[in-house]
Amino acid sequence: MHTLTERPPGPLPLPYARQAATVALTALAPAAWGTTYAVTTQLLPPGHPLFAGLMRALPAGLLALALTRVLPRGDWWWKAAVLGVLNIGALFPLLFLAAERLPGGVAATLSATQPLMVAGLAVAVVHDRPSAWRLVWGVLGAVGVGLVVLGPGARLDAAGVLAGLGGTAAMAAGVVLTKRWGRPPGVGPMALAGWQLTVGGLLLLPLALTVEGVPQRIDAGAVGGYLWLGSMGGLIAYTLWFRGIGSLPVGASAPLALLSPLVATVVGIVLGESLTLPQALGFALALAALLAAQFDIRSLPGRVRRGGTPGDTRTRGGRTR
């Protein structure tokens, strides 16, 4: 007879060591995105969010296409276009607009709601109902980020708030659709990233040139900022991100977005900021939420169905399940 262990529906979970390695690599992406606020405010020319998004997306996308030499086929032409609009074309300008019009803390707090948005969309799109465990930790993670980055002097700009929420919603939809569609056979994560970065960059190109134009002055610092955002914050980060969310459960990958505001906080400390006691407690809470969300108590070893105990081999009605 078999032990009546409980496991959530869907594919078997990765072995714990392998999943930990996948989580660690995937986490590098939101960690890199956490530097966006500092790079934008410290290095990039102000007033050009569309151009910043363009420089982050199009060169990196074209480089990925040149390296992989793989183009979409069949219905992946429109799927890549949809994902490119959500993950790049809509996200980037909204992200930079929020970074310019809001304090980094406020913008980061808005982005911390992404796990909750992903949880809601996952129910409708991939029929993945998150556990109460992950929902609770998702809420606590957003609360923790709020304690870290929101202060009494935080100002709220309506356009900035809408941009921050819109960008977060676009990426949440991109995460869920990426999980639903996966990757075409034989296509690696860099090729998938390249398709989307190119689509998003081509979408931003006419908007950036007609609405904003090229900044009048691009100094060495701005060049370095664009290179960092396009490489580590663009091609490398999105390659790792799409590799990870294709393997991890939605409920485990979405909370990794909390790393972005936490890294932004650490960067702020390096630049001379300090944390109060409530901020330090919030940081610890957000970090705990991020780690706790990687586990689902429904699939822990020894977890059994209602009415049984670990090691209980009795069956219901003489049948194993």
Side-chain angles (χ1 to χ4, degrees), residues 83-223:
L83 294 176
V85 170
L86 292 173
N87 288 323
I88 311 297
L91 172 65
F92 281 10
L94 292 173
L95 175 67
F96 285 109
L97 180 60
E100 285 191 354
R101 299 185 69 97
L102 295 172
V106 177
T109 302
L110 296 176
S111 70
T113 62
Q114 180 183 312
L116 302 178
M117 292 186 181
V118 168
L121 290 172
V123 174
V125 177
V126 296
H127 309 295
D128 181 6
R129 187 177 298 277
S131 64
W133 170 269
R134 281 178 168 153
L135 281 177
V136 169
W137 281 111
V139 174
L140 291 177
V143 171
V145 170
L147 288 174
V148 171
V149 298
L150 287 179
R155 55 184 174 82
L156 298 179
D157 175 84
V161 169
L162 290 176
L165 289 175
T168 301
M171 188 171 183
V175 168
V176 174
L177 287 178
T178 300
K179 187 65 179 178
R180 177 179 175 86
W181 292 336
R183 294 199 308 267
V187 174
M190 180 177 287
L192 183 63
W195 297 349
Q196 297 182 48
L197 287 165
T198 301
V199 168
L202 291 175
L203 177 65
L204 291 173
L205 179 61
L207 294 175
L209 295 182
T210 57
V211 175
E212 296 176 351
V214 179
Q216 292 184 353
R217 183 173 180 269
I218 301 178
D219 56 18
V223 172

Side-chain angles (χ1 to χ4, degrees), residues 8 38-39 85 125 158 170 188 194 197 208 224-225 227 253 266 271 295 305 312 315:
V39 171
V85 170
V125 177
L197 287 165
L227 287 175
S253 58
V266 173
L271 295 177
F295 303 96
R305 295 188 188 277
D312 186 358
T315 60

